[in-house]
Amino acid sequence: ARAHKNMRSVIILISLSIISIGAALDNRWKLQWSDEFDGNSLDTSKWTARLMPGYTDNGEKEYYVPSAVSVSNGKLILTSNNTAYDSDHPYMSGWVDTQNSFFSTFGRYEINAKLPVSQGMWPAHWLLSQFKCWPYGAEIDIMEVIGRLNTTCFGTYHYGSTCGDNHGNGSSIKWNASLDHAYHTYSVEW
């Protein structure tokens, strides 16, 4: 989840359950990786909870801290709050990724999530290439929701031939109700 500079909520929870790659929805897919978030802590053989500042290019004012990541009742919970990390980062939030534990080029990637809706929130589920130079190697935004647009989900493909050479194609889907009222499955087949 990304928190934007206008975050007003004291505590927002992002609850995720069932993250799977190549889900066995039909005969085309064979399950390669999943996490059902069983137990009471993050499975660190699958996930890394990051300690790092938010991306200033996006106007992010939060600092990502592992203490904002928890697992409970089959859900991954990323908590964002307006507790200052330092004078440059008035918010803290949770971030997890599989950068050091799982990589796959093609498949079906999905997440079942109940998203926060609040000014300044920016929950996202995306795929990033193993190249360290964005957007070279590409980024696929499976789901991004801007908190103030709580009925719209965005998907974007970012690409470039060099570092910082960002091009993108994307679209959005609008729901009839706010995305925080129920769990929804977001996916991409690549």
Side-chain angles (χ1 to χ4, degrees), residues 71-109:
V71 172
S72 178
N73 296 317
K75 295 175 182 68
L76 169 65
I77 302 167
L78 305 177
T79 303
S80 296
N81 62 58
N82 63 356
T83 302
Y85 183 81
D86 58 30
S87 61
D88 294 328
H89 302 93
Y91 310 106
M92 287 193 286
S93 185
W95 170 302
V96 294
D97 63 54
T98 61
Q99 179 180 4
N100 297 320
S101 59
F102 180 80
F103 181 80
S104 178
T105 303
F106 299 108
R108 178 183 173 92
Y109 300 78

Side-chain angles (χ1 to χ4, degrees), residues 129 131-138 159-165:
S129 103
F131 295 105
K132 304 291 185 204
C133 183
W134 186 87
Y136 181 71
Y159 58 93
S161 58
T162 61
C163 292
D165 178 34

Side-chain angles (χ1 to χ4, degrees), residues 13-34:
L13 300 179
I14 300 173
S15 300
L16 311 174
S17 64
I18 308 175
I19 295 182
S20 56
I21 309 302
L25 298 176
D26 57 37
N27 292 334
R28 296 180 301 156
W29 303 108
K30 179 181 175 188
L31 183 64
Q32 299 294 314
W33 188 95
S34 70

Side-chain angles (χ1 to χ4, degrees), residues 11 15 23 60 67 73 75 80 85 93 99 113 116 121 131 138 141 150 160 166 181 184:
I11 296 179
S15 300
E60 296 179 36
S67 61
N73 296 317
K75 295 175 182 68
S80 296
Y85 183 81
S93 185
Q99 179 180 4
M121 297 304 295
F131 295 105
D141 298 328
N150 59 8
N166 181 27
H181 293 313
H184 299 281

